[in-house]
């Protein structure tokens, strides 16, 4: 698993496949990013943001770049 760094961009990527593991095109893929506080409360950081197709194009693969806020502290 990759680590995100406070103040730096992190790229999430996904490859959508069907039941035979063949890549499939997805219409309007979105991502929700969240974390949990030390108290266990869910904290939504990004809600249903649009993902982008990769360049060069690859069927079924999409990305989303998220910059971890500077105010995000270890343990958040």
């Amino acid at each position: 698993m990759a680590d995100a760094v406070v103040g730096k961009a992190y790229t999430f990527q996904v490859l959508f496949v069907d039941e035979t593991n063949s890549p499939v095109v997805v219409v309007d893929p979105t991502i929700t990013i969240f974390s949990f506080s030390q108290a266990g409360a869910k904290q939504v950081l990004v809600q249903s943001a649009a993902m982008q197709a990769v360049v060069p194009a690859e069927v079924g693969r999409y990305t989303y770049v998220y910059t971890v806020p500077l105010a995000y502290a270890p343990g958040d």
Side-chain angles (χ1 to χ4, degrees), residues 17-29:
V17 298
D18 64 14
E19 63 277 354
T20 66
N21 286 331
S22 296
V24 295
V25 174
V26 176
V27 177
D28 299 326

Side-chain angles (χ1 to χ4, degrees), residues 38-64:
Q38 289 182 345
K42 183 177 178 179
Q43 301 168 312
V44 176
L45 305 171
V46 175
Q47 181 69 47
S48 300
M51 297 188 79
Q52 304 299 314
V54 295
V55 177
E58 182 181 341
V59 173
R61 190 172 302 278
Y62 301 87
T63 64
Y64 181 81

Side-chain angles (χ1 to χ4, degrees), residues 1-24:
M1 174 179 264
D3 292 323
V5 178
V6 172
K8 302 290 183 183
Y10 182 83
T11 301
F12 291 87
Q13 83 171 289
V14 63
L15 175 62
F16 291 95
V17 298
D18 64 14
E19 63 277 354
T20 66
N21 286 331
S22 296
V24 295

